[in-house]
Amino acid sequence: MKTKLLLALLVGSLAATAHAQVKVEDAIKWRQSAYATMGWSMGRIKANIDGTYNKDEVIKSANVIQAIANSGMGALYVPGSDKGKGWVDTRVKPELFTDGPKVGKIATEFNQAANELAKVAATGDAAAVKAAFGKLGASCKSCHDDYRTKQ
Amino acid sequence: MKTKLLLALLVGSLAATAHAQVKVEDAIKWRQSAYATMGWSMGRIKANIDGTYNKDEVIKSANVIQAIANSGMGALYVPGSDKGKGWVDTRVKPELFTDGPKVGKIATEFNQAANELAKVAATGDAAAVKAAFGKLGASCKSCHDDYRTKQ
């Protein structure tokens, strides 16, 4: 029991150290990069839905979104990164760092929607992809509406 | 035969249109974003190799790299994007657009190395991950050496 507690404290401390090692400017740059990479992939899927449907391209794009959605990007919201510059100034609202349960709910819905999109993309069912894409887009929008400043 | 030829011409023409629709500044920004997202993931894997190994974090990071490596980023090297600004000025050398076979070989090796890393990451074998990570890093470097200007 004592060993377990010590181990937990040690692991917690190591995790905190690893956390602290991510510089604010890097964290913001990586966040912006990951969102832009997902944005590219969303645009590609939309082009396939609106135009000629290429199953392979949709799969590749959905896999990128799924992998990034499941990457643990939360780790990039390090303390102090509510302000600062990555590629450009961050547009995150400070509320994202304090609205724990609400942000967690949006993040969970986003993950589920990304997993669902990748799942239906693999089947090549364009109608199902369109529905899943719409759901994922709505999830993106709900976070942007509440936690990203308007440009 | 004639129908096939017409179809090939049509598909080629549609592909060219879709290709042309990607703006140079977007293509460069998406390239920079995708590489930065892979850079974040490489850094996370390195921290796991050098420090405490967390199987789950390595899997997540390797999956991001694999998905992006297989996304068809070649489509982002649109004509005219040898110069221009995404988040920042591109550092690509014009030779990347003309050294077809050599670039293709590097890209294939990069894809294989990314797939191998994701495969061994899933097993949790830290030594195998270290070896695959080294191979992938060497593949990144070979492209940087030849096709990215020094800073």
PDB file of all heavy atoms in Angstrom, chain A residues 14 30 33-34 36-37 40 44 52 60 63-64 67-68 70-71 73 76 87-88, chain B residues 14 30 33-34 36-37 40 44 52 60 63-64 67 70-71 73 76 87-88:
ATOM      1  N   LEU A  14       6.453  12.836 -12.064  1.00  0.00           N
ATOM      2  CA  LEU A  14       7.086  12.723 -13.382  1.00  0.00           C
ATOM      3  C   LEU A  14       6.186  13.299 -14.466  1.00  0.00           C
ATOM      4  O   LEU A  14       6.636  13.995 -15.365  1.00  0.00           O
ATOM      5  CB  LEU A  14       7.391  11.255 -13.706  1.00  0.00           C
ATOM      6  CG  LEU A  14       8.600  10.649 -12.999  1.00  0.00           C
ATOM      7  CD1 LEU A  14       8.672   9.167 -13.268  1.00  0.00           C
ATOM      8  CD2 LEU A  14       9.880  11.337 -13.453  1.00  0.00           C
ATOM      9  N   TRP A  30       1.598  23.561 -31.785  1.00  0.00           N
ATOM     10  CA  TRP A  30       1.171  22.193 -32.073  1.00  0.00           C
ATOM     11  C   TRP A  30      -0.358  22.085 -32.100  1.00  0.00           C
ATOM     12  O   TRP A  30      -0.913  21.355 -32.921  1.00  0.00           O
ATOM     13  CB  TRP A  30       1.778  21.224 -31.048  1.00  0.00           C
ATOM     14  CG  TRP A  30       3.266  21.029 -31.232  1.00  0.00           C
ATOM     15  CD1 TRP A  30       3.954  21.095 -32.412  1.00  0.00           C
ATOM     16  CD2 TRP A  30       4.242  20.758 -30.223  1.00  0.00           C
ATOM     17  NE1 TRP A  30       5.289  20.871 -32.196  1.00  0.00           N
ATOM     18  CE2 TRP A  30       5.502  20.662 -30.874  1.00  0.00           C
ATOM     19  CE3 TRP A  30       4.187  20.568 -28.832  1.00  0.00           C
ATOM     20  CZ2 TRP A  30       6.679  20.388 -30.171  1.00  0.00           C
ATOM     21  CZ3 TRP A  30       5.364  20.297 -28.136  1.00  0.00           C
ATOM     22  CH2 TRP A  30       6.589  20.208 -28.804  1.00  0.00           C
ATOM     23  N   SER A  33      -1.389  23.555 -35.365  1.00  0.00           N
ATOM     24  CA  SER A  33      -1.015  22.647 -36.451  1.00  0.00           C
ATOM     25  C   SER A  33      -1.979  21.466 -36.534  1.00  0.00           C
ATOM     26  O   SER A  33      -2.399  21.067 -37.629  1.00  0.00           O
ATOM     27  CB  SER A  33       0.408  22.133 -36.222  1.00  0.00           C
ATOM     28  OG  SER A  33       1.321  23.200 -36.263  1.00  0.00           O
ATOM     29  N   ALA A  34      -2.301  20.902 -35.379  1.00  0.00           N
ATOM     30  CA  ALA A  34      -3.195  19.738 -35.368  1.00  0.00           C
ATOM     31  C   ALA A  34      -4.583  20.128 -35.870  1.00  0.00           C
ATOM     32  O   ALA A  34      -5.191  19.397 -36.665  1.00  0.00           O
ATOM     33  CB  ALA A  34      -3.268  19.156 -33.949  1.00  0.00           C
ATOM     34  N   ALA A  36      -5.289  22.633 -37.878  1.00  0.00           N
ATOM     35  CA  ALA A  36      -5.193  22.940 -39.312  1.00  0.00           C
ATOM     36  C   ALA A  36      -5.119  21.648 -40.131  1.00  0.00           C
ATOM     37  O   ALA A  36      -5.688  21.565 -41.223  1.00  0.00           O
ATOM     38  CB  ALA A  36      -3.967  23.821 -39.583  1.00  0.00           C
ATOM     39  N   THR A  37      -4.419  20.653 -39.603  1.00  0.00           N
ATOM     40  CA  THR A  37      -4.319  19.368 -40.309  1.00  0.00           C
ATOM     41  C   THR A  37      -5.697  18.702 -40.368  1.00  0.00           C
ATOM     42  O   THR A  37      -6.074  18.117 -41.392  1.00  0.00           O
ATOM     43  CB  THR A  37      -3.294  18.447 -39.614  1.00  0.00           C
ATOM     44  OG1 THR A  37      -2.029  19.132 -39.567  1.00  0.00           O
ATOM     45  CG2 THR A  37      -3.107  17.147 -40.378  1.00  0.00           C
ATOM     46  N   TRP A  40      -7.731  20.629 -42.998  1.00  0.00           N
ATOM     47  CA  TRP A  40      -7.404  20.160 -44.357  1.00  0.00           C
ATOM     48  C   TRP A  40      -8.191  18.883 -44.658  1.00  0.00           C
ATOM     49  O   TRP A  40      -8.821  18.762 -45.729  1.00  0.00           O
ATOM     50  CB  TRP A  40      -5.889  19.898 -44.458  1.00  0.00           C
ATOM     51  CG  TRP A  40      -5.462  19.131 -45.670  1.00  0.00           C
ATOM     52  CD1 TRP A  40      -5.837  19.380 -46.964  1.00  0.00           C
ATOM     53  CD2 TRP A  40      -4.600  17.987 -45.720  1.00  0.00           C
ATOM     54  NE1 TRP A  40      -5.242  18.461 -47.809  1.00  0.00           N
ATOM     55  CE2 TRP A  40      -4.482  17.597 -47.067  1.00  0.00           C
ATOM     56  CE3 TRP A  40      -3.906  17.258 -44.757  1.00  0.00           C
ATOM     57  CZ2 TRP A  40      -3.702  16.504 -47.480  1.00  0.00           C
ATOM     58  CZ3 TRP A  40      -3.118  16.179 -45.160  1.00  0.00           C
ATOM     59  CH2 TRP A  40      -3.032  15.817 -46.503  1.00  0.00           C
ATOM     60  N   ARG A  44     -11.133  18.074 -47.451  1.00  0.00           N
ATOM     61  CA  ARG A  44     -11.042  17.015 -48.452  1.00  0.00           C
ATOM     62  C   ARG A  44     -12.287  16.133 -48.434  1.00  0.00           C
ATOM     63  O   ARG A  44     -12.798  15.735 -49.482  1.00  0.00           O
ATOM     64  CB  ARG A  44      -9.805  16.135 -48.180  1.00  0.00           C
ATOM     65  CG  ARG A  44      -8.497  16.850 -48.439  1.00  0.00           C
ATOM     66  CD  ARG A  44      -7.441  15.914 -48.983  1.00  0.00           C
ATOM     67  NE  ARG A  44      -7.029  14.901 -48.011  1.00  0.00           N
ATOM     68  CZ  ARG A  44      -6.175  13.919 -48.310  1.00  0.00           C
ATOM     69  NH1 ARG A  44      -5.680  13.827 -49.536  1.00  0.00           N
ATOM     70  NH2 ARG A  44      -5.805  13.044 -47.404  1.00  0.00           N
ATOM     71  N   THR A  52     -17.125  14.390 -56.743  1.00  0.00           N
ATOM     72  CA  THR A  52     -16.925  12.970 -57.037  1.00  0.00           C
ATOM     73  C   THR A  52     -16.380  12.284 -55.783  1.00  0.00           C
ATOM     74  O   THR A  52     -15.401  12.763 -55.200  1.00  0.00           O
ATOM     75  CB  THR A  52     -15.906  12.797 -58.185  1.00  0.00           C
ATOM     76  OG1 THR A  52     -16.306  13.644 -59.263  1.00  0.00           O
ATOM     77  CG2 THR A  52     -15.850  11.348 -58.655  1.00  0.00           C
ATOM     78  N   LYS A  60      -8.426   8.057 -45.981  1.00  0.00           N
ATOM     79  CA  LYS A  60      -7.161   8.666 -45.534  1.00  0.00           C
ATOM     80  C   LYS A  60      -7.420   9.900 -44.676  1.00  0.00           C
ATOM     81  O   LYS A  60      -6.778  10.107 -43.647  1.00  0.00           O
ATOM     82  CB  LYS A  60      -6.323   9.069 -46.758  1.00  0.00           C
ATOM     83  CG  LYS A  60      -5.709   7.892 -47.495  1.00  0.00           C
ATOM     84  CD  LYS A  60      -5.025   8.377 -48.768  1.00  0.00           C
ATOM     85  CE  LYS A  60      -4.349   7.228 -49.507  1.00  0.00           C
ATOM     86  NZ  LYS A  60      -3.717   7.693 -50.761  1.00  0.00           N
ATOM     87  N   ASN A  63      -8.978   9.006 -41.317  1.00  0.00           N
ATOM     88  CA  ASN A  63      -7.980   8.394 -40.428  1.00  0.00           C
ATOM     89  C   ASN A  63      -7.091   9.450 -39.770  1.00  0.00           C
ATOM     90  O   ASN A  63      -6.700   9.301 -38.611  1.00  0.00           O
ATOM     91  CB  ASN A  63      -7.102   7.399 -41.207  1.00  0.00           C
ATOM     92  CG  ASN A  63      -7.835   6.102 -41.504  1.00  0.00           C
ATOM     93  OD1 ASN A  63      -8.920   5.858 -40.974  1.00  0.00           O
ATOM     94  ND2 ASN A  63      -7.257   5.276 -42.361  1.00  0.00           N
ATOM     95  N   VAL A  64      -6.781  10.512 -40.519  1.00  0.00           N
ATOM     96  CA  VAL A  64      -5.983  11.598 -39.941  1.00  0.00           C
ATOM     97  C   VAL A  64      -6.762  12.255 -38.805  1.00  0.00           C
ATOM     98  O   VAL A  64      -6.239  12.471 -37.707  1.00  0.00           O
ATOM     99  CB  VAL A  64      -5.611  12.653 -41.019  1.00  0.00           C
ATOM    100  CG1 VAL A  64      -5.063  13.925 -40.379  1.00  0.00           C
ATOM    101  CG2 VAL A  64      -4.590  12.073 -42.001  1.00  0.00           C
ATOM    102  N   ALA A  67      -6.973   9.885 -35.771  1.00  0.00           N
ATOM    103  CA  ALA A  67      -5.712   9.748 -35.031  1.00  0.00           C
ATOM    104  C   ALA A  67      -5.429  10.994 -34.197  1.00  0.00           C
ATOM    105  O   ALA A  67      -5.010  10.892 -33.036  1.00  0.00           O
ATOM    106  CB  ALA A  67      -4.556   9.478 -35.992  1.00  0.00           C
ATOM    107  N   ILE A  68      -5.680  12.156 -34.762  1.00  0.00           N
ATOM    108  CA  ILE A  68      -5.420  13.398 -34.014  1.00  0.00           C
ATOM    109  C   ILE A  68      -6.445  13.564 -32.886  1.00  0.00           C
ATOM    110  O   ILE A  68      -6.092  13.949 -31.773  1.00  0.00           O
ATOM    111  CB  ILE A  68      -5.406  14.623 -34.948  1.00  0.00           C
ATOM    112  CG1 ILE A  68      -4.233  14.516 -35.940  1.00  0.00           C
ATOM    113  CG2 ILE A  68      -5.297  15.928 -34.145  1.00  0.00           C
ATOM    114  CD1 ILE A  68      -4.159  15.640 -36.962  1.00  0.00           C
ATOM    115  N   ASN A  70      -7.774  11.350 -31.190  1.00  0.00           N
ATOM    116  CA  ASN A  70      -7.459  10.407 -30.108  1.00  0.00           C
ATOM    117  C   ASN A  70      -6.032  10.554 -29.571  1.00  0.00           C
ATOM    118  O   ASN A  70      -5.563   9.705 -28.819  1.00  0.00           O
ATOM    119  CB  ASN A  70      -7.668   8.973 -30.605  1.00  0.00           C
ATOM    120  CG  ASN A  70      -9.147   8.648 -30.773  1.00  0.00           C
ATOM    121  OD1 ASN A  70      -9.856   8.425 -29.796  1.00  0.00           O
ATOM    122  ND2 ASN A  70      -9.625   8.661 -32.008  1.00  0.00           N
ATOM    123  N   SER A  71      -5.345  11.621 -29.990  1.00  0.00           N
ATOM    124  CA  SER A  71      -3.925  11.742 -29.648  1.00  0.00           C
ATOM    125  C   SER A  71      -3.674  12.254 -28.240  1.00  0.00           C
ATOM    126  O   SER A  71      -2.553  12.186 -27.743  1.00  0.00           O
ATOM    127  CB  SER A  71      -3.231  12.676 -30.649  1.00  0.00           C
ATOM    128  OG  SER A  71      -3.708  14.009 -30.482  1.00  0.00           O
ATOM    129  N   MET A  73      -4.697  15.547 -27.258  1.00  0.00           N
ATOM    130  CA  MET A  73      -4.343  16.958 -27.446  1.00  0.00           C
ATOM    131  C   MET A  73      -4.575  17.796 -26.193  1.00  0.00           C
ATOM    132  O   MET A  73      -4.052  18.913 -26.090  1.00  0.00           O
ATOM    133  CB  MET A  73      -5.164  17.568 -28.586  1.00  0.00           C
ATOM    134  CG  MET A  73      -4.586  17.340 -29.960  1.00  0.00           C
ATOM    135  SD  MET A  73      -5.559  18.253 -31.193  1.00  0.00           S
ATOM    136  CE  MET A  73      -5.163  19.961 -30.785  1.00  0.00           C
ATOM    137  N   LEU A  76      -1.838  19.566 -24.569  1.00  0.00           N
ATOM    138  CA  LEU A  76      -1.267  20.787 -25.151  1.00  0.00           C
ATOM    139  C   LEU A  76      -1.887  22.053 -24.556  1.00  0.00           C
ATOM    140  O   LEU A  76      -1.451  23.158 -24.855  1.00  0.00           O
ATOM    141  CB  LEU A  76      -1.432  20.772 -26.675  1.00  0.00           C
ATOM    142  CG  LEU A  76      -0.635  19.670 -27.396  1.00  0.00           C
ATOM    143  CD1 LEU A  76      -0.924  19.686 -28.890  1.00  0.00           C
ATOM    144  CD2 LEU A  76       0.866  19.832 -27.144  1.00  0.00           C
ATOM    145  N   TRP A  87       2.104  29.642 -34.164  1.00  0.00           N
ATOM    146  CA  TRP A  87       2.308  30.226 -35.496  1.00  0.00           C
ATOM    147  C   TRP A  87       1.783  31.658 -35.487  1.00  0.00           C
ATOM    148  O   TRP A  87       2.356  32.559 -36.078  1.00  0.00           O
ATOM    149  CB  TRP A  87       1.551  29.426 -36.549  1.00  0.00           C
ATOM    150  CG  TRP A  87       2.024  28.023 -36.768  1.00  0.00           C
ATOM    151  CD1 TRP A  87       1.360  26.874 -36.435  1.00  0.00           C
ATOM    152  CD2 TRP A  87       3.233  27.592 -37.431  1.00  0.00           C
ATOM    153  NE1 TRP A  87       2.080  25.771 -36.828  1.00  0.00           N
ATOM    154  CE2 TRP A  87       3.227  26.179 -37.446  1.00  0.00           C
ATOM    155  CE3 TRP A  87       4.317  28.266 -38.007  1.00  0.00           C
ATOM    156  CZ2 TRP A  87       4.261  25.429 -38.020  1.00  0.00           C
ATOM    157  CZ3 TRP A  87       5.340  27.516 -38.574  1.00  0.00           C
ATOM    158  CH2 TRP A  87       5.314  26.120 -38.584  1.00  0.00           C
ATOM    159  N   VAL A  88       0.636  31.812 -34.818  1.00  0.00           N
ATOM    160  CA  VAL A  88      -0.021  33.116 -34.641  1.00  0.00           C
ATOM    161  C   VAL A  88      -0.564  33.146 -33.213  1.00  0.00           C
ATOM    162  O   VAL A  88      -0.485  32.155 -32.496  1.00  0.00           O
ATOM    163  CB  VAL A  88      -1.190  33.295 -35.654  1.00  0.00           C
ATOM    164  CG1 VAL A  88      -0.671  33.445 -37.093  1.00  0.00           C
ATOM    165  CG2 VAL A  88      -2.183  32.144 -35.571  1.00  0.00           C
TER     166      VAL A  88
ATOM    167  N   LEU B  14     -10.802  16.171 -64.124  1.00  0.00           N
ATOM    168  CA  LEU B  14     -11.425  16.466 -62.827  1.00  0.00           C
ATOM    169  C   LEU B  14     -10.368  16.554 -61.737  1.00  0.00           C
ATOM    170  O   LEU B  14     -10.399  17.440 -60.896  1.00  0.00           O
ATOM    171  CB  LEU B  14     -12.437  15.371 -62.457  1.00  0.00           C
ATOM    172  CG  LEU B  14     -13.781  15.431 -63.168  1.00  0.00           C
ATOM    173  CD1 LEU B  14     -14.591  14.198 -62.841  1.00  0.00           C
ATOM    174  CD2 LEU B  14     -14.549  16.688 -62.755  1.00  0.00           C
ATOM    175  N   TRP B  30      -0.946  23.857 -44.802  1.00  0.00           N
ATOM    176  CA  TRP B  30      -1.320  22.492 -44.410  1.00  0.00           C
ATOM    177  C   TRP B  30      -0.100  21.587 -44.332  1.00  0.00           C
ATOM    178  O   TRP B  30      -0.011  20.726 -43.461  1.00  0.00           O
ATOM    179  CB  TRP B  30      -2.378  21.944 -45.382  1.00  0.00           C
ATOM    180  CG  TRP B  30      -3.719  22.582 -45.214  1.00  0.00           C
ATOM    181  CD1 TRP B  30      -4.246  23.072 -44.047  1.00  0.00           C
ATOM    182  CD2 TRP B  30      -4.711  22.824 -46.218  1.00  0.00           C
ATOM    183  NE1 TRP B  30      -5.498  23.601 -44.281  1.00  0.00           N
ATOM    184  CE2 TRP B  30      -5.805  23.452 -45.594  1.00  0.00           C
ATOM    185  CE3 TRP B  30      -4.782  22.559 -47.597  1.00  0.00           C
ATOM    186  CZ2 TRP B  30      -6.965  23.819 -46.287  1.00  0.00           C
ATOM    187  CZ3 TRP B  30      -5.934  22.922 -48.291  1.00  0.00           C
ATOM    188  CH2 TRP B  30      -7.010  23.550 -47.645  1.00  0.00           C
ATOM    189  N   SER B  33       1.640  22.458 -41.169  1.00  0.00           N
ATOM    190  CA  SER B  33       0.849  21.970 -40.032  1.00  0.00           C
ATOM    191  C   SER B  33       1.023  20.467 -39.855  1.00  0.00           C
ATOM    192  O   SER B  33       1.188  19.978 -38.731  1.00  0.00           O
ATOM    193  CB  SER B  33      -0.630  22.293 -40.252  1.00  0.00           C
ATOM    194  OG  SER B  33      -0.821  23.691 -40.299  1.00  0.00           O
ATOM    195  N   ALA B  34       0.974  19.744 -40.951  1.00  0.00           N
ATOM    196  CA  ALA B  34       1.099  18.282 -40.874  1.00  0.00           C
ATOM    197  C   ALA B  34       2.484  17.886 -40.373  1.00  0.00           C
ATOM    198  O   ALA B  34       2.618  17.000 -39.524  1.00  0.00           O
ATOM    199  CB  ALA B  34       0.812  17.660 -42.240  1.00  0.00           C
ATOM    200  N   ALA B  36       4.470  19.736 -38.520  1.00  0.00           N
ATOM    201  CA  ALA B  36       4.575  20.145 -37.111  1.00  0.00           C
ATOM    202  C   ALA B  36       3.832  19.155 -36.213  1.00  0.00           C
ATOM    203  O   ALA B  36       4.291  18.843 -35.108  1.00  0.00           O
ATOM    204  CB  ALA B  36       4.025  21.557 -36.922  1.00  0.00           C
ATOM    205  N   THR B  37       2.699  18.658 -36.687  1.00  0.00           N
ATOM    206  CA  THR B  37       1.938  17.682 -35.895  1.00  0.00           C
ATOM    207  C   THR B  37       2.731  16.385 -35.767  1.00  0.00           C
ATOM    208  O   THR B  37       2.759  15.759 -34.699  1.00  0.00           O
ATOM    209  CB  THR B  37       0.562  17.427 -36.544  1.00  0.00           C
ATOM    210  OG1 THR B  37      -0.129  18.681 -36.659  1.00  0.00           O
ATOM    211  CG2 THR B  37      -0.281  16.488 -35.702  1.00  0.00           C
ATOM    212  N   TRP B  40       5.538  17.074 -33.228  1.00  0.00           N
ATOM    213  CA  TRP B  40       5.030  16.943 -31.856  1.00  0.00           C
ATOM    214  C   TRP B  40       5.008  15.464 -31.455  1.00  0.00           C
ATOM    215  O   TRP B  40       5.486  15.092 -30.376  1.00  0.00           O
ATOM    216  CB  TRP B  40       3.617  17.555 -31.763  1.00  0.00           C
ATOM    217  CG  TRP B  40       2.877  17.214 -30.499  1.00  0.00           C
ATOM    218  CD1 TRP B  40       3.349  17.306 -29.220  1.00  0.00           C
ATOM    219  CD2 TRP B  40       1.526  16.725 -30.400  1.00  0.00           C
ATOM    220  NE1 TRP B  40       2.371  16.911 -28.331  1.00  0.00           N
ATOM    221  CE2 TRP B  40       1.264  16.556 -29.024  1.00  0.00           C
ATOM    222  CE3 TRP B  40       0.525  16.445 -31.330  1.00  0.00           C
ATOM    223  CZ2 TRP B  40       0.020  16.074 -28.568  1.00  0.00           C
ATOM    224  CZ3 TRP B  40      -0.709  15.986 -30.879  1.00  0.00           C
ATOM    225  CH2 TRP B  40      -0.959  15.804 -29.517  1.00  0.00           C
ATOM    226  N   ARG B  44       7.095  13.377 -28.564  1.00  0.00           N
ATOM    227  CA  ARG B  44       6.463  12.607 -27.489  1.00  0.00           C
ATOM    228  C   ARG B  44       7.048  11.190 -27.418  1.00  0.00           C
ATOM    229  O   ARG B  44       7.275  10.650 -26.340  1.00  0.00           O
ATOM    230  CB  ARG B  44       4.946  12.516 -27.712  1.00  0.00           C
ATOM    231  CG  ARG B  44       4.231  13.843 -27.542  1.00  0.00           C
ATOM    232  CD  ARG B  44       2.863  13.662 -26.951  1.00  0.00           C
ATOM    233  NE  ARG B  44       1.946  12.968 -27.848  1.00  0.00           N
ATOM    234  CZ  ARG B  44       0.703  12.633 -27.502  1.00  0.00           C
ATOM    235  NH1 ARG B  44       0.249  12.921 -26.300  1.00  0.00           N
ATOM    236  NH2 ARG B  44      -0.097  12.042 -28.351  1.00  0.00           N
ATOM    237  N   THR B  52      10.318   7.648 -18.903  1.00  0.00           N
ATOM    238  CA  THR B  52       9.396   6.579 -18.541  1.00  0.00           C
ATOM    239  C   THR B  52       8.543   6.214 -19.750  1.00  0.00           C
ATOM    240  O   THR B  52       7.954   7.097 -20.375  1.00  0.00           O
ATOM    241  CB  THR B  52       8.467   7.051 -17.393  1.00  0.00           C
ATOM    242  OG1 THR B  52       9.270   7.627 -16.372  1.00  0.00           O
ATOM    243  CG2 THR B  52       7.652   5.894 -16.831  1.00  0.00           C
ATOM    244  N   LYS B  60      -0.622   6.344 -29.413  1.00  0.00           N
ATOM    245  CA  LYS B  60      -1.362   7.513 -29.919  1.00  0.00           C
ATOM    246  C   LYS B  60      -0.502   8.358 -30.855  1.00  0.00           C
ATOM    247  O   LYS B  60      -0.949   8.807 -31.915  1.00  0.00           O
ATOM    248  CB  LYS B  60      -1.834   8.392 -28.749  1.00  0.00           C
ATOM    249  CG  LYS B  60      -2.971   7.786 -27.955  1.00  0.00           C
ATOM    250  CD  LYS B  60      -3.265   8.642 -26.731  1.00  0.00           C
ATOM    251  CE  LYS B  60      -4.438   8.087 -25.949  1.00  0.00           C
ATOM    252  NZ  LYS B  60      -4.682   8.856 -24.707  1.00  0.00           N
ATOM    253  N   ASN B  63       0.268   6.535 -34.115  1.00  0.00           N
ATOM    254  CA  ASN B  63      -0.923   6.512 -34.985  1.00  0.00           C
ATOM    255  C   ASN B  63      -1.110   7.832 -35.731  1.00  0.00           C
ATOM    256  O   ASN B  63      -1.544   7.846 -36.881  1.00  0.00           O
ATOM    257  CB  ASN B  63      -2.183   6.199 -34.160  1.00  0.00           C
ATOM    258  CG  ASN B  63      -2.249   4.739 -33.765  1.00  0.00           C
ATOM    259  OD1 ASN B  63      -1.477   3.912 -34.270  1.00  0.00           O
ATOM    260  ND2 ASN B  63      -3.155   4.401 -32.864  1.00  0.00           N
ATOM    261  N   VAL B  64      -0.792   8.935 -35.061  1.00  0.00           N
ATOM    262  CA  VAL B  64      -0.878  10.242 -35.718  1.00  0.00           C
ATOM    263  C   VAL B  64       0.116  10.304 -36.884  1.00  0.00           C
ATOM    264  O   VAL B  64      -0.233  10.698 -38.003  1.00  0.00           O
ATOM    265  CB  VAL B  64      -0.600  11.396 -34.714  1.00  0.00           C
ATOM    266  CG1 VAL B  64      -0.383  12.717 -35.451  1.00  0.00           C
ATOM    267  CG2 VAL B  64      -1.753  11.536 -33.726  1.00  0.00           C
ATOM    268  N   ALA B  67      -1.053   8.004 -39.757  1.00  0.00           N
ATOM    269  CA  ALA B  67      -2.207   8.526 -40.513  1.00  0.00           C
ATOM    270  C   ALA B  67      -1.778   9.669 -41.430  1.00  0.00           C
ATOM    271  O   ALA B  67      -2.206   9.741 -42.591  1.00  0.00           O
ATOM    272  CB  ALA B  67      -3.306   8.984 -39.547  1.00  0.00           C
ATOM    273  N   ASN B  70       0.328   8.495 -44.399  1.00  0.00           N
ATOM    274  CA  ASN B  70      -0.471   7.806 -45.421  1.00  0.00           C
ATOM    275  C   ASN B  70      -1.602   8.670 -45.990  1.00  0.00           C
ATOM    276  O   ASN B  70      -2.471   8.165 -46.698  1.00  0.00           O
ATOM    277  CB  ASN B  70      -1.067   6.519 -44.826  1.00  0.00           C
ATOM    278  CG  ASN B  70       0.006   5.461 -44.606  1.00  0.00           C
ATOM    279  OD1 ASN B  70       0.464   4.827 -45.547  1.00  0.00           O
ATOM    280  ND2 ASN B  70       0.436   5.290 -43.363  1.00  0.00           N
ATOM    281  N   SER B  71      -1.592   9.957 -45.667  1.00  0.00           N
ATOM    282  CA  SER B  71      -2.735  10.807 -46.045  1.00  0.00           C
ATOM    283  C   SER B  71      -2.693  11.277 -47.490  1.00  0.00           C
ATOM    284  O   SER B  71      -3.683  11.799 -48.002  1.00  0.00           O
ATOM    285  CB  SER B  71      -2.789  12.027 -45.119  1.00  0.00           C
ATOM    286  OG  SER B  71      -1.666  12.865 -45.353  1.00  0.00           O
ATOM    287  N   MET B  73      -0.068  13.432 -48.665  1.00  0.00           N
ATOM    288  CA  MET B  73       0.395  14.826 -48.574  1.00  0.00           C
ATOM    289  C   MET B  73       1.016  15.326 -49.867  1.00  0.00           C
ATOM    290  O   MET B  73       1.174  16.543 -50.050  1.00  0.00           O
ATOM    291  CB  MET B  73       1.435  14.968 -47.456  1.00  0.00           C
ATOM    292  CG  MET B  73       0.857  15.167 -46.081  1.00  0.00           C
ATOM    293  SD  MET B  73       2.195  15.489 -44.900  1.00  0.00           S
ATOM    294  CE  MET B  73       2.768  17.113 -45.440  1.00  0.00           C
ATOM    295  N   LEU B  76      -0.356  18.166 -51.657  1.00  0.00           N
ATOM    296  CA  LEU B  76      -0.161  19.541 -51.176  1.00  0.00           C
ATOM    297  C   LEU B  76       1.037  20.224 -51.837  1.00  0.00           C
ATOM    298  O   LEU B  76       1.271  21.405 -51.626  1.00  0.00           O
ATOM    299  CB  LEU B  76       0.002  19.540 -49.644  1.00  0.00           C
ATOM    300  CG  LEU B  76      -1.248  19.091 -48.876  1.00  0.00           C
ATOM    301  CD1 LEU B  76      -0.967  19.054 -47.382  1.00  0.00           C
ATOM    302  CD2 LEU B  76      -2.420  20.030 -49.169  1.00  0.00           C
ATOM    303  N   TRP B  87       1.976  29.368 -42.826  1.00  0.00           N
ATOM    304  CA  TRP B  87       2.129  30.064 -41.547  1.00  0.00           C
ATOM    305  C   TRP B  87       3.354  30.978 -41.640  1.00  0.00           C
ATOM    306  O   TRP B  87       3.369  32.080 -41.127  1.00  0.00           O
ATOM    307  CB  TRP B  87       2.347  29.053 -40.414  1.00  0.00           C
ATOM    308  CG  TRP B  87       1.196  28.150 -40.117  1.00  0.00           C
ATOM    309  CD1 TRP B  87       1.127  26.798 -40.372  1.00  0.00           C
ATOM    310  CD2 TRP B  87      -0.039  28.479 -39.466  1.00  0.00           C
ATOM    311  NE1 TRP B  87      -0.075  26.291 -39.921  1.00  0.00           N
ATOM    312  CE2 TRP B  87      -0.792  27.296 -39.358  1.00  0.00           C
ATOM    313  CE3 TRP B  87      -0.569  29.665 -38.954  1.00  0.00           C
ATOM    314  CZ2 TRP B  87      -2.072  27.262 -38.766  1.00  0.00           C
ATOM    315  CZ3 TRP B  87      -1.832  29.629 -38.365  1.00  0.00           C
ATOM    316  CH2 TRP B  87      -2.570  28.452 -38.284  1.00  0.00           C
ATOM    317  N   VAL B  88       4.389  30.439 -42.286  1.00  0.00           N
ATOM    318  CA  VAL B  88       5.636  31.167 -42.531  1.00  0.00           C
ATOM    319  C   VAL B  88       6.081  30.807 -43.950  1.00  0.00           C
ATOM    320  O   VAL B  88       5.466  29.974 -44.604  1.00  0.00           O
ATOM    321  CB  VAL B  88       6.742  30.755 -41.513  1.00  0.00           C
ATOM    322  CG1 VAL B  88       6.416  31.252 -40.108  1.00  0.00           C
ATOM    323  CG2 VAL B  88       6.945  29.238 -41.501  1.00  0.00           C
TER     324      VAL B  88
END
